[in-house]
């Protein structure tokens, strides 16, 4: 297992949100975490990324325990987290944002290769190289967020709501780029509102409700599950 | 191409910031013509050192969200360190004259002041702000502000207890005849102080723009979470920011030792002045702080020249109050935060 979350408990201050969450992601797998608003999906990703320290349980990555490590140390281990709000550096240009993504990359040649890779994946970004990130549209910001995360050549991506606030056509674009990454051997754990689409493209999925994992299994099976169909697909 | 640049220039000049800067330059030139060029000389020398103070203040505000009211005390520590470094060297030189050493002695003292300031900055961050941050981040701006006031009281009284209240000053750093610029005699100390401030500002600018660490500091000031996400060690950057900021204040204190002898509350005047500057320029805006420093310096010099020396605090204060009422973001203020952007 590349990522293994065991019996994770987490929350904010006295607010206990996640209870006994366990999930795992194999290398090369495309896994999704779905659930209603406020279920704790974002909290799960933040805890894995080290931005929140867990109350209990353990997160292992690549065979080592990473729970309790500071966020920047988790990032240096090779987990790239893309938050819902992107957390771009709004007063830096697109290009500078991408270079910041390669902050931990000391090898200039590797940095160049990554830059070429990101610009090839999102040609729109190259055209807007010198634009300030703060002045970009929602879709462009999303691409920049993913691009910046890819700059450090991560072993795994944690993506929070890639389709949030995007028009259907742009959503397709973003999902296509994630698909490309998977085809090239990447590993992704994605959180999504758009359950139909997500279960359609991913390999496996977990359903999180009220901070607990209620269901898990291959995405195709989840899509057929009566509970999932009733709760998320409206049938 | 050229017309495009002119157009851009025109747009910049028409903004509030542009109008103010142009106005300041015009006033400086006019008053220098009517009253004498020493006005510009004084403005530029005071402005350079004020810029060093203000950059530090803006940096700490932009990166750490701390409203630093102990900044003057790092100025005081700088002047104290320079005094105790320079006096022994000077005494040694009195016995064994040495031209090269007497040129270098002031620089060594200023360097020592930078190191001491930076060290005190690191200590303040590690002992105080770090611990507050770990305990709670609620009400951060207010709590950290109160802590800086505490640090200030501690350092002022510490100085008084250990070194006493007498003035610890020097007559001059560099011996030799004053330079003659535009028919005004400018003492070597003033001249070198200005050159030093320009050099330091330039180096600081390069550091922030062109180095990996400088970029990381800017990144933290724009988005702390984003910075962590790309692998930047926040606490390292916070220590470095405090060190830089306090080190710059130390340089300012040391370079102006010939004007402001060291005593416990010597930092008060530079503290107020640099706060004026960053309110004028917009909090957390480093580039604006440099320009603003020269404008506040000019305002101070002009007030002393035309109204009288008792008024040099009254006029800037009145202006600051007006700015806070009508343009609370400062004249270079922008909605987006960041330490090196306008
Ligand atoms: N910073 C915070 N402080 C306190 N409570 C928070 C914080 N962030 C989230 N919460 C609470 O934690 C719970 C889970 O939030 P989370 O963001 O993980 O939900 P989510 O599953 O991502 O929902 P959505 O689909 O709306 O994004 C919510 O009840 C929310 O109010
Ligand atoms: Mg969420």
């Amino acid at each position: 297992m590349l990522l293994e979350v065991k019996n994770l408990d987490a929350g904010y201050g006295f607010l206990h949100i996640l209870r006994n969450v366990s999930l795992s992601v194999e290398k090369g797998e495309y896994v999704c975490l779905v659930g209603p608003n406020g279920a704790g999906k974002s909290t799960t990703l933040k805890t894995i990324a080290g931005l929140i320290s867990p109350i209990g349980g353990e997160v292992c990555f690549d065979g080592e325990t990473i729970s309790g490590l500071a966020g920047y140390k988790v990032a240096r281990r090779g987990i790239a987290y893309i938050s819902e709000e992107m957390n771009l550096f709004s007063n830096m240009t697109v290009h500078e944002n991408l270079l910041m993504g390669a902050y931990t990359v000391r090898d200039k040649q590797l940095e160049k290769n990554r830059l070429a890779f990101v610009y090839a994946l999102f040609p729109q970004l190259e055209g807007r190289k010198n634009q300030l990130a703060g002045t970009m549209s929602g879709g462009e910001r999303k691409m920049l967020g993913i691009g910046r995360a890819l700059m450090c050549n991560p072993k795994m991506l944690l993506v929070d709501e890639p389709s949030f606030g995007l028009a259907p056509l742009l959503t397709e674009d973003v999902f296509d780029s994630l698909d490309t990454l998977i085809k090239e051997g990447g590993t992704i754990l994605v959180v999504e509102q758009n359950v139909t689409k997500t279960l359609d493209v991913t390999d496996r999925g977990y359903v999180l409700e009220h901070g607990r994992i209620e269901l898990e299994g291959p995405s195709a099976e989840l899509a057929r599950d009566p509970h999932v169909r009733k709760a998320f697909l409206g049938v | 191409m050229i017309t495009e640049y002119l157009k851009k220039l025109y747009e910049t000049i028409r903004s509030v910031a542009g109008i103010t800067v142009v106005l300041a330059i015009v006033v400086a030139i006019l008053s220098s013509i009517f009253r004498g060029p020493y006005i510009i000389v004084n403005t530029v020398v005071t402005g350079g050192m004020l810029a060093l103070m203000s950059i530090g203040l803006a940096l700490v505000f932009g990166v750490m969200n701390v409203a630093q009211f102990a900044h003057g005390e790092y100025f005081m520590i700088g002047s104290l360190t320079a005094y105790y470094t320079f006096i022994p060297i000077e005494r040694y030189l009195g016995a064994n004259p040495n031209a090269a050493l007497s040129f270098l002695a002031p620089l060594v003292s200023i360097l020592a002041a930078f190191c001491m300031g930076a060290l005190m900055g690191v200590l303040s961050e590690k002992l105080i702000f770090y611990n507050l941050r770990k305990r709670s981040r609620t009400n951060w701006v207010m709590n950290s502000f109160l802590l800086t006031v505490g640090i200030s009281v501690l350092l002022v009284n510490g100085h008084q207890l250990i070194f006493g209240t007498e003035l610890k000053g020097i007559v001059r750093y560099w011996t030799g005849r004053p330079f003659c610029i535009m028919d005004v005699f400018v003492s070597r100390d003033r001249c070198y102080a200005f050159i030093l401030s320009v050099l330091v500002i330039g180096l600081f600018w390069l550091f922030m723009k062109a180095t990996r660490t400088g970029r990381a500091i800017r990144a933290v000031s724009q988005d702390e979470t984003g910075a962590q996400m790309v692998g930047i060690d926040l606490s390292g950057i916070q220590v470095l920011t405090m060190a830089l900021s306090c080190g710059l204040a130390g340089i300012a204190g040391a370079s102006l030792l010939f004007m402001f002898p060291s005593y416990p509350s010597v930092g008060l005047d530079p503290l107020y002045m640099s706060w004026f500057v960053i309110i004028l320029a917009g909090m957390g805006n480093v580039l604006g702080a440099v320009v603003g420093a020269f404008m506040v310096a000019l305002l101070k010099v002009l007030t002393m020249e035309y109204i009288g020396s008792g008024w040099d605090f009254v006029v800037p204060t009145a202006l600051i109050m007006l700015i806070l009422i009508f343009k609370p973001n400062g004249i270079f203020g922008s909605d987006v935060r960041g330490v090196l952007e306008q």
Side-chain angles (χ1 to χ4, degrees), chain A residues 72 76 87 91 96 103 106, chain B residues 212 218 222-223 231-232:
Chain A
Y72 77 95
R76 289 179 184 186
N87 294 96
N91 257 332
E96 281 179 305
Y103 180 73
R106 295 297 192 129
Chain B
R212 180 169 170 271
R218 284 164 58 209
Q222 292 177 31
D223 198 311
I232 295 172

Side-chain angles (χ1 to χ4, degrees), chain A residues 38 41-43 84 160-161 191 193:
Chain A
K41 304 177 301 283
S42 300
T43 308
E84 216 169 332
D160 201 346
E161 312 235 355
V191 160
Q193 295 276 351

Side-chain angles (χ1 to χ4, degrees), chain A residues 188-221:
Chain A
I188 301 178
L189 174 62
V190 65
V191 160
E192 253 298 328
Q193 295 276 351
N194 187 342
V195 177
T196 325
K197 172 77 194 167
T198 315
L199 289 180
D200 193 29
V201 296
T202 51
D203 306 326
R204 262 184 337 113
Y206 293 86
V207 179
L208 190 72
E209 281 176 52
H210 305 296
R212 296 173 201 275
I213 300 281
E214 292 291 342
L215 269 175
E216 61 173 286
S219 300
E221 268 174 42

Side-chain angles (χ1 to χ4, degrees), chain B residues 273-302:
Chain B
M273 282 303 160
S274 45
W275 264 98
F276 290 168
V277 171
I278 72 164
I279 292 171
L280 179 79
M283 316 267 278
N285 178 344
V286 169
L287 185 58
V290 176
V291 183
F294 285 99
M295 284 163 53
V296 168
L298 175 69
L299 193 67
K300 206 176 165 187
V301 170
L302 287 182

Side-chain angles (χ1 to χ4, degrees), chain B residues 62 71 128 232 242 246 278 331-332:
Chain B
H71 206 52
I128 298 166
I232 295 172
M242 266 312 263
C246 300
I278 72 164
I331 52 174
F332 306 105

Side-chain angles (χ1 to χ4, degrees), chain A residues 213-233:
Chain A
I213 300 281
E214 292 291 342
L215 269 175
E216 61 173 286
S219 300
E221 268 174 42
L222 286 181
R224 285 196 299 271
D225 186 271
H227 175 70
V228 173
R229 289 172 70 86
K230 192 151 168 275
F232 304 114
L233 306 178

